[in-house]
Amino acid sequence: MNFKQDLEEKKQDNPRIIQNHFHCIQERNQLKIQPLSKLLRIILPQLLGQKNDFEDKHSGDKWLFPGPAVYVPKIDEEIEKQINAYVIQQNHALKIKALRDTIVKKIPRRAGEIWLEREQGMYLPSVDEEVITSMEGRVLTDKKAISLRATASFKDIYGINRSAGEEWLVTKEMAEVHIRDVYEEFVAEVRLTTLAKNQYCVVIDPVGKNGKPQFGKRELRKGEQSFFLKPGETLKSGIQLVRVLSEHQSLLLQAREDFMDESKKRPAGSKWMIEGPRDYVPPVEVDILEERQSIPLDENEGIYVRNMKTGEVRTVKNQVYRLTADEMLWEKELTDELEELLAYQSGSGGFGPVVVQESKSERPEIRRDKTRAITFRAPHNSAVQLFDYKAKKSRIVFGPDLVMLEPYEEISILRLSGDVPKKENQLKNLALLLGPDFMIDQIIVETSDHARLFLKLAYNWRFQINKQDPKTYEKIFAVSDFIGETCKTLASRIRGAVSGVTFDQFHKRSTEIIQTAVFGKEKEFLIKTNNLLITSVDIQGFEPVEASTRQSLEMSIKLAIDISSKAQEDRAKHEAEQAEQRAKGERDKQAIDDQAEAEKKRIELFKLEAESASVETTGKAIAIAKAHAEAASINGKAELEQATLQVNAIQIKQKEELEILKKRYEAEEHHNQSMMELEVNTQKQLAEIEAAKFKKTIDSLGKETLISMAKAGPAAQAKLLAGLGLKGYMIIDAKNPINLFNTAQGMIASPQGQMSVPENTPQLSALTWVYLCLLYTSD
């Protein structure tokens, strides 16, 4: 069909529209070339031409014109917008919404459905799709994961069904990069939890194997390990260090529930201790109540310990103590007043009484460990009273000593009178000073003539006690304010004594009157109630109360002073003149004495000169005589020494000669002794030889032969003796043997032998003599 004819026909039907299109056609001089990366979204506002050109389209329809192509416009079409293609990069996705029911990549999509397009590359959305935004993936590492929450029930990209509100963890093991799906809500970024070797943690509400949180349960995890906390899991107190206990440390534990602890059953609520040295990781059933240190205590240190089972409180001291599971440190509470006094007197305040007013304005800062045993240093010569409220009894400690309070003991506070004149409750002290000390008081007295006077008195006092006798020292605390009571007692006595004398009498004998009033006839005054001894009273001053009396007293005193001054002046003048006369007489006497002494010295000088001359002459003669005597003495000593040396030389020579003779005699004696020993040995050997010879001879004869010879009878004996020509014979027996060896030898030997025989006696051999002896013994 011709374009001009078509235009004319449309112009006739609707001249205005045709006119507008005509102007548009006139303006488009060049056709639009559509590249591959762009789309044209075409809209059909109203169908004007032939229906054959738009077969399935209606007014208001939209469609896309993709490239690459050349777009040839039509009269009924309008370009709504040009759409650029979306480039999906790595780790990115497009969040797309379906505008109406459609099919995308063979997947049916309903109107309003939202999904992610994850495929990398260029993406051209259809006319039924709307790109909401570009989603960037989160990179997951070994130390980083993400926690997600499902906003609706769906199946995630990993194929896991998720319920609405469910939370889960995505780690690197599941994907290195996770792009959040449309029904996934980012909760938090989870960091890797790493436990070292000496660390542990307790996970509350751990996730079970089914992936569900186990509410109310706990799980103990020890190092070395690493993990991600899953949604719903929390750490109790974070990552904790393993408890490393030294030998002086321990842990107090308590069971949260029943469990077995190293084969020992621990019921819920039970407490026990573990002691070092060791390391300890508490199970989930155990709570660590506290860490305890061993407490080293010196001899003068202590702590208060309470047993939680019995409630008993005791003091522990002088040891290294470790609390048990049933014990705890007990805090001893004191009154504010006692705290202040302890802090003041234990600090730089000293041990003296504390003035009430000053203690209020200058209250020391109290810093005390109430579990430590309270100590107080009792000063020297003092006493401290301690009262035990549990035992209902008291004890007294004498200083210097360190007082340590037991759990139920407290120090008795002394409230004493002070100031001048005395006022009650002016001083506070913990220690009672035993004295000696003094106290000053001012009282008003009235004489018999109604003169009223101020007396300022000082009393010296001390407590009279025997520290070995409890009956004496227990009384010292009988009077709480001994200063006030004592001053009242003494003031009463003094007022009574002064009221009986006039002013003039008291003025002249004030000391005597007051001492008599206090001591009477005794030298000291003892208050038996508390054994307080008043040793002396001193009047520091007195003055009248009324002005007229004071003026009269002043005039009297002035007159007395004038009289006393004039008397002292006259006395001094008289004494000066007397001293002058005495000095003058002494001076004259001294001059005479000096002159006499000078004459005596002169005489002594002459005597000394004469003695000096005599001594000089005598000295010379004596010196000469001493010189001669000394020379003679030296010569004599030299001669004596020479003679002594000669004598010593002779003695040495004789001693050497004597030594030589001694050696010679010793050598000869040794030689003779050796020769004698040799001779004895020789004779001994000869005797042994002879004995052997004799034994062999006897053995050769035989016993029977000897017996036969012995039985020859007395006749044979007589003939034998007669034949021998013996004049005498010797008879021996076996009980008294004699040595016949030498005898026989002597008989046989030469005439030089010792034994003599008759001249006509024939010489017999030793064997013959033995035979004779045997013959005799056989009878």
Side-chain angles (χ1 to χ4, degrees):
M1 182 179 290
N2 192 353
F3 179 75
K4 289 184 177 181
Q5 292 178 358
D6 187 24
L7 184 61
E8 288 295 335
E9 292 178 358
K10 291 181 178 180
K11 184 176 180 182
Q12 292 176 1
D13 296 335
N14 195 344
R16 186 175 179 182
I17 296 176
I18 295 301
Q19 187 176 2
N20 292 335
H21 280 278
F22 179 77
H23 290 297
C24 292
I25 291 172
Q26 286 182 342
E27 292 176 0
R28 294 175 182 172
N29 297 325
Q30 187 176 0
L31 296 176
K32 184 180 287 292
I33 299 174
Q34 190 66 22
L36 181 64
S37 61
K38 293 184 179 181
L39 295 174
L40 289 177
R41 188 161 70 183
I42 308 300
I43 186 171
L44 185 63
Q46 185 176 359
L47 185 62
L48 299 177
Q50 296 292 334
K51 293 184 176 180
N52 294 332
D53 296 337
F54 308 97
E55 294 178 355
D56 297 330
K57 296 180 174 57
H58 301 85
S59 298
D61 287 349
K62 297 179 181 180
W63 67 92
L64 296 177
F65 182 81
V70 177
Y71 175 69
V72 178
K74 294 181 180 182
I75 297 175
D76 298 328
E77 296 177 350
E78 287 185 6
I79 299 176
E80 185 179 29
K81 62 183 293 187
Q82 183 175 355
I83 301 174
N84 294 324
Y86 292 92
V87 178
I88 302 176
Q89 299 178 357
Q90 186 179 6
N91 302 332
H92 286 72
L94 290 179
K95 189 174 182 180
I96 302 174
K97 180 180 180 182
L99 299 177
R100 57 182 61 88
D101 294 346
T102 183
I103 296 175
V104 180
K105 293 183 179 180
K106 299 181 181 181
I107 300 174
R109 301 290 185 182
R110 299 183 64 84
E113 183 180 351
I114 301 174
W115 70 95
L116 290 182
E117 182 61 44
R118 303 173 184 270
E119 185 179 354
Q120 295 183 22
M122 187 173 63
Y123 182 78
L124 294 172
S126 67
V127 69
D128 298 326
E129 297 174 357
E130 179 185 0
V131 177
I132 299 175
T133 183
S134 176
M135 304 289 292
E136 182 180 359
R138 288 181 177 269
V139 179
L140 306 178
T141 63
D142 294 333
K143 298 182 179 180
K144 183 174 69 173
I146 57 174
S147 176
L148 303 177
R149 183 187 297 116
T151 58
S153 298
F154 75 105
K155 180 183 288 186
D156 64 8
I157 193 173
Y158 308 110
I160 302 174
N161 293 321
R162 302 295 183 182
S163 301
E166 180 184 352
E167 294 184 4
W168 67 97
L169 198 67
V170 180
T171 61
K172 184 181 178 182
E173 285 74 15
M174 301 172 68
E176 292 184 356
V177 179
H178 179 79
I179 302 174
R180 185 163 52 89
D181 210 336
V182 293
Y183 298 114
E184 292 178 351
E185 180 182 4
F186 177 77
V187 178
E189 185 179 282
V190 181
R191 289 289 177 178
L192 183 69
T193 301
T194 303
L195 299 178
K197 186 176 181 180
N198 61 338
Q199 293 177 333
Y200 74 96
C201 67
V202 177
V203 180
I204 301 176
D205 301 333
V207 176
K209 294 181 180 180
N210 58 357
K212 303 297 181 182
Q214 303 178 64
F215 295 106
K217 291 188 176 182
R218 299 185 179 192
E219 180 182 341
L220 177 64
R221 298 179 185 177
K222 303 179 183 179
E224 303 173 350
Q225 64 171 308
S226 299
F227 59 90
F228 289 104
L229 285 177
K230 297 180 181 179
E233 293 182 340
T234 57
L235 293 182
K236 178 188 176 184
S237 303
I239 298 176
Q240 304 180 54
L241 294 176
V242 175
R243 296 296 185 104
V244 179
L245 305 178
S246 66
E247 60 181 350
H248 298 297
Q249 291 178 317
S250 59
L251 291 177
L252 177 61
L253 308 177
Q254 185 177 24
R256 301 178 64 253
E257 57 187 66
D258 296 345
F259 78 105
M260 294 298 294
D261 180 20
E262 298 178 356
S263 70
K264 185 175 182 180
K265 186 176 181 181
R266 300 284 187 184
S270 62
K271 296 181 182 180
W272 70 98
M273 297 280 293
I274 62 169
E275 300 177 352
R278 62 172 294 180
D279 54 2
Y280 181 73
V281 177
V284 294
E285 300 86 1
V286 176
D287 288 335
I288 299 177
L289 298 183
E290 62 177 337
E291 179 179 324
R292 292 179 173 179
Q293 296 277 351
S294 296
I295 305 174
L297 301 173
D298 193 9
E299 182 179 0
N300 298 325
E301 294 179 331
I303 55 174
Y304 298 119
V305 178
R306 183 169 194 165
N307 191 303
M308 300 303 295
K309 289 185 176 180
T310 62
E312 180 185 359
V313 181
R314 60 191 180 93
T315 304
V316 179
K317 58 183 177 179
N318 195 21
Q319 61 178 299
V320 178
Y321 190 72
R322 180 179 290 172
L323 294 173
T324 63
D326 298 326
E327 292 178 340
M328 63 174 292
L329 292 175
W330 182 71
E331 294 185 353
K332 181 176 176 61
E333 298 291 342
L334 298 177
T335 61
D336 295 340
E337 186 179 24
L338 186 55
E339 288 276 15
E340 293 176 7
L341 288 174
L342 284 173
Y344 180 81
Q345 297 188 351
S346 298
S348 59
F351 301 103
V354 179
V355 180
V356 176
Q357 292 80 356
E358 293 182 0
S359 64
K360 291 181 180 179
S361 59
E362 301 178 3
R363 179 175 298 175
E365 184 178 358
I366 299 174
R367 294 181 180 178
R368 180 177 68 87
D369 186 357
K370 296 183 179 181
T371 62
R372 287 279 178 169
I374 299 173
T375 57
F376 174 71
R377 292 173 294 167
H380 176 71
N381 197 26
S382 67
V384 179
Q385 185 183 38
L386 308 175
F387 186 77
D388 192 334
Y389 286 92
K390 183 177 181 180
K392 303 298 181 182
K393 62 180 181 180
S394 63
R395 62 186 177 101
I396 297 175
V397 179
F398 292 97
D401 197 359
L402 185 69
V403 179
M404 182 176 294
L405 296 185
E406 294 298 326
Y408 298 102
E409 280 187 338
E410 284 196 13
I411 303 176
S412 299
I413 300 177
L414 300 176
R415 295 175 178 82
L416 307 176
S417 298
D419 206 351
V420 178
K422 288 292 179 279
K423 299 177 183 178
E424 294 182 353
N425 297 327
Q426 295 298 306
L427 302 175
K428 293 186 295 186
N429 201 2
L430 298 177
L432 177 62
L433 303 179
L434 301 179
D437 203 345
F438 69 93
M439 50 188 173
I440 300 174
D441 191 16
Q442 186 178 19
I443 62 175
I444 299 176
V445 297
E446 186 174 355
T447 60
S448 60
D449 52 359
H450 305 291
R452 302 176 71 241
L453 304 173
F454 284 115
L455 290 184
K456 191 174 183 180
L457 305 172
Y459 308 107
N460 292 329
W461 57 268
R462 63 181 176 86
F463 283 97
Q464 188 177 27
I465 60 172
N466 181 8
K467 294 182 180 180
Q468 306 300 326
D469 186 7
K471 294 182 179 180
T472 60
Y473 65 72
E474 286 178 353
K475 293 182 178 181
I476 60 178
F477 290 96
V479 180
S480 59
D481 183 9
F482 74 95
I483 293 179
E485 295 297 329
T486 303
C487 288
K488 289 178 182 179
T489 302
L490 298 179
S492 177
R493 285 172 167 258
I494 293 172
R495 289 191 188 97
V498 174
S499 63
V501 297
T502 62
F503 174 76
D504 292 335
Q505 291 175 345
F506 178 75
H507 185 263
K508 294 177 181 179
R509 299 185 298 112
S510 57
T511 302
E512 179 184 354
I513 294 171
I514 291 176
Q515 290 184 351
T516 303
V518 174
F519 302 115
K521 296 181 179 180
E522 304 294 335
K523 294 183 178 180
E524 297 175 334
F525 174 59
L526 177 64
I527 301 175
K528 296 182 179 181
T529 306
N530 59 349
N531 287 336
L532 180 65
L533 184 66
I534 307 299
T535 57
S536 65
V537 180
D538 181 27
I539 303 175
Q540 293 189 346
F542 69 91
E543 62 179 2
V545 178
E546 292 83 2
S548 58
T549 308
R550 189 182 301 113
Q551 292 177 359
S552 300
L553 180 61
E554 290 176 356
M555 292 177 62
S556 177
I557 293 172
K558 184 177 180 181
L559 182 59
I561 292 173
D562 293 340
I563 295 172
S564 178
S565 300
K566 188 174 182 181
Q568 289 180 358
E569 183 180 356
D570 294 340
R571 190 181 304 109
K573 186 176 181 181
H574 177 70
E575 289 177 356
E577 292 177 355
Q578 185 178 4
E580 184 180 0
Q581 293 297 326
R582 190 180 299 109
K584 186 175 181 182
E586 289 179 356
R587 184 188 61 186
D588 296 339
K589 181 181 179 182
Q590 187 66 34
I592 296 172
D593 292 341
D594 291 342
Q595 187 175 1
E597 188 68 25
E599 294 297 329
K600 289 181 181 180
K601 296 295 182 182
R602 189 178 292 107
I603 294 172
E604 290 179 0
L605 177 62
F606 291 152
K607 288 182 179 181
L608 291 174
E609 289 177 351
E611 290 177 358
S612 177
S614 174
V615 167
E616 184 179 358
T617 305
T618 305
K620 289 182 180 180
I622 291 173
I624 294 172
K626 284 184 177 181
H628 290 296
E630 187 71 23
S633 175
I634 291 171
N635 291 331
K637 288 181 180 179
E639 293 176 356
L640 177 61
E641 186 174 356
Q642 184 177 4
T644 303
L645 293 175
Q646 290 177 358
V647 170
N648 292 336
I650 295 171
Q651 289 179 352
I652 293 170
K653 184 177 181 181
Q654 290 177 354
K655 185 176 181 181
E656 292 297 328
E657 291 176 354
L658 180 61
E659 188 70 23
I660 292 171
L661 290 175
K662 183 178 179 181
K663 295 292 184 181
R664 185 182 299 169
Y665 292 152
E666 288 178 356
E668 291 178 357
E669 182 180 1
H670 180 69
H671 176 70
N672 293 335
Q673 186 175 0
S674 300
M675 293 301 293
M676 291 174 65
E677 291 177 355
L678 183 60
E679 183 68 20
V680 168
N681 292 332
T682 303
Q683 293 298 330
K684 184 177 180 181
Q685 293 176 1
L686 290 174
E688 290 176 353
I689 293 171
E690 192 66 26
K693 179 181 178 183
F694 176 73
K695 182 178 181 182
K696 290 179 180 179
T697 302
I698 295 301
D699 292 338
S700 62
L701 291 175
K703 183 177 180 182
E704 295 178 356
T705 304
L706 292 176
I707 295 172
S708 299
M709 291 174 65
K711 291 181 179 181
Q717 294 178 7
K719 289 179 181 182
L720 180 61
L721 293 174
L724 293 174
L726 296 174
K727 294 181 181 181
Y729 58 90
M730 180 178 61
I731 300 173
I732 63 175
D733 56 10
K735 295 181 180 180
N736 296 306
I738 63 172
N739 188 359
L740 298 179
F741 295 102
N742 292 333
T743 305
Q745 186 178 0
M747 293 180 179
I748 298 173
S750 61
Q752 284 79 12
Q754 295 180 358
M755 184 176 179
S756 61
V757 295
E759 295 178 357
N760 55 355
T761 301
Q763 295 184 354
L764 298 177
S765 64
L767 181 63
T768 304
W769 285 102
V770 172
Y771 173 75
L772 292 175
C773 293
L774 291 173
L775 184 63
Y776 174 74
T777 57
S778 65
D779 294 338

